[in-house]
Amino acid sequence: MTTILEQASQQSPEAAPARKFRLRGISAWAIRVLLGIVFSFPLLFMFVSSLKPDAQIFGDLSSMAAFLPVGDLSTENYQAVFERVPAARFLINSIAIAAVTVALGVLINSLAAFALSRLQMRGKGIILTLIIATLIVPFETLALPLVWWVNKLPWLEINGFSLSLTTGWLDTYQVQIIPFVANAFSIYLFHQYFESIPKELDEAARVDGAGWFKIYSRIIMPLSGPAIATVSILTFLPAWNSYLWPLMVVQSEELRPVMVGVQYFFQLNVSWGEIMAYSSMITLPVVALFIAFQRSFVNSIASSGVKG
């Protein structure tokens, strides 16, 4: 008996830190789960409400039933969405606009960041500072001058087998894409991530006869997966959520994105079940994109923060 007590007394000082560390880990996970539940409540309410009629939505607001799929559930609100607005067309437009904006944004911003990170030139720091300084200018102050400029820009229009030069980008797809391709924050993220890649790789490639574009496409970009994922998400979100700019420059219904379609549901008879159904449809792609790239997103932000 004495031997057992002596062994326990010898082990307790070493076991205490391990037990404390284990309890700390459990507490951290409990806090994360709790925060996850709290932040998921709005999404859960939106999706559950999209399956209920308006009367039941308001009737359940005073209880936890508002977050539970109980009562008169159906997909009638989703069917009504496609009857009330051209939702399929809006979704296709937003997917196309966001995809092209992301593709061009990754290319243009990464090239700009590569030049600032790798090429030897005077004033690189000043140029990067000026680029970052543009982030303090709100878009609302640039919207009206930008509308004037895009209305004066030329564009090649294809009519059958002939090309004609037209003036003005209003009411087109390109006016919703090109003004938002270059982004100061994306350039900054790429620049910070490129700085974390050893420049000895560039020197070895230059010795082997590789040019700068080959170094960019064969060495730097393949090593920059987290940065590409982060920039893709941060470019996709504004393109998908764009509302003010399309209202200003797009008049044709067949060119409008999904966010403009929200205002259709506040005309005449307002149906909150249909609004929740439409909101669920346009939220799902964003949630799916973030879940798919969340690990790369976190890694890139961590790398940029440490390097900065």
Side-chain angles (χ1 to χ4, degrees):
M1 185 68 177
T2 306
T3 306
I4 296 175
L5 291 175
E6 291 177 353
Q7 292 177 354
S9 62
Q10 292 176 356
Q11 293 176 359
S12 58
E14 298 178 359
R19 187 163 53 249
K20 186 182 295 185
F21 179 79
R22 199 159 45 242
L23 290 174
R24 189 178 299 172
I26 294 173
S27 301
W29 275 107
I31 293 173
R32 293 173 186 173
V33 170
L34 180 61
L35 289 175
I37 293 173
V38 171
F39 285 115
S40 65
F41 272 167
L43 295 176
L44 183 61
F45 173 77
M46 178 181 66
F47 177 72
V48 170
S49 298
S50 69
L51 302 173
K52 299 178 181 180
D54 287 2
Q56 186 176 346
I57 293 175
F58 289 103
D60 293 342
L61 287 178
S62 59
S63 65
M64 285 299 297
F67 302 97
L68 301 175
V70 295
D72 185 15
L73 304 180
S74 68
T75 58
E76 292 181 359
N77 290 326
Y78 289 91
Q79 298 172 7
V81 164
F82 289 94
E83 295 173 359
R84 189 163 183 173
V85 301
R89 185 65 190 178
F90 291 165
L91 285 169
I92 293 173
N93 288 341
S94 284
I95 290 173
I97 291 169
V100 175
T101 304
V102 168
L104 292 178
V106 169
L107 176 63
I108 299 300
N109 295 315
S110 62
L111 283 171
F114 178 80
L116 292 172
S117 174
R118 286 320 206 244
L119 301 185
Q120 298 298 324
M121 65 178 74
R122 291 183 177 180
K124 290 194 302 181
I126 297 176
I127 295 174
L128 182 62
T129 302
L130 292 175
I131 291 174
I132 297 174
T134 61
L135 292 172
I136 67 175
V137 182
F139 173 74
E140 288 75 12
T141 62
L142 303 175
L144 290 179
L146 192 58
V147 170
W148 186 88
W149 276 108
V150 296
N151 193 39
K152 299 295 182 181
L153 292 174
W155 189 261
L156 284 176
E157 191 175 79
I158 302 177
N159 296 317
F161 294 98
S162 61
L163 295 176
S164 59
L165 186 64
T166 61
T167 302
W169 288 10
L170 298 183
D171 208 25
T172 59
Y173 283 115
Q174 64 265 21
V175 76
Q176 303 179 68
I177 297 173
I178 295 179
F180 306 101
V181 169
N183 182 272
F185 190 62
S186 297
I187 294 174
Y188 171 76
L189 281 178
F190 271 125
H191 178 271
Q192 295 300 93
Y193 199 88
F194 291 167
E195 286 290 299
S196 67
I197 298 176
K199 294 186 178 181
E200 288 78 6
L201 297 176
D202 304 358
E203 298 171 1
R206 295 284 289 176
V207 170
D208 292 338
W212 284 117
F213 186 77
K214 193 170 185 179
I215 294 173
Y216 161 82
S217 59
R218 299 290 182 87
I219 298 176
I220 302 299
M221 291 304 286
L223 296 175
S224 304
I228 294 173
T230 303
V231 170
S232 297
I233 293 174
L234 297 180
T235 305
F236 177 86
L237 289 177
W240 186 265
N241 295 329
S242 181
Y243 177 78
L244 176 62
W245 182 248
L247 279 181
M248 297 176 65
V249 299
V250 177
Q251 299 297 325
S252 301
E253 189 174 72
E254 62 270 14
L255 299 177
R256 289 175 176 171
V258 290
M259 288 302 167
V260 178
V262 175
Q263 67 176 349
Y264 284 59
F265 295 93
F266 293 96
Q267 301 171 359
L268 300 178
N269 298 324
V270 178
S271 173
W272 287 100
E274 295 176 10
I275 293 174
M276 294 299 175
Y278 187 77
S279 300
S280 298
M281 291 169 53
I282 64 181
T283 303
L284 183 61
V286 179
V287 175
L289 182 70
F290 182 77
I291 291 175
F293 295 103
Q294 62 176 329
R295 186 179 297 274
S296 297
F297 181 83
V298 172
N299 289 341
S300 178
I301 294 295
S303 300
S304 298
V306 171
K307 189 64 183 178

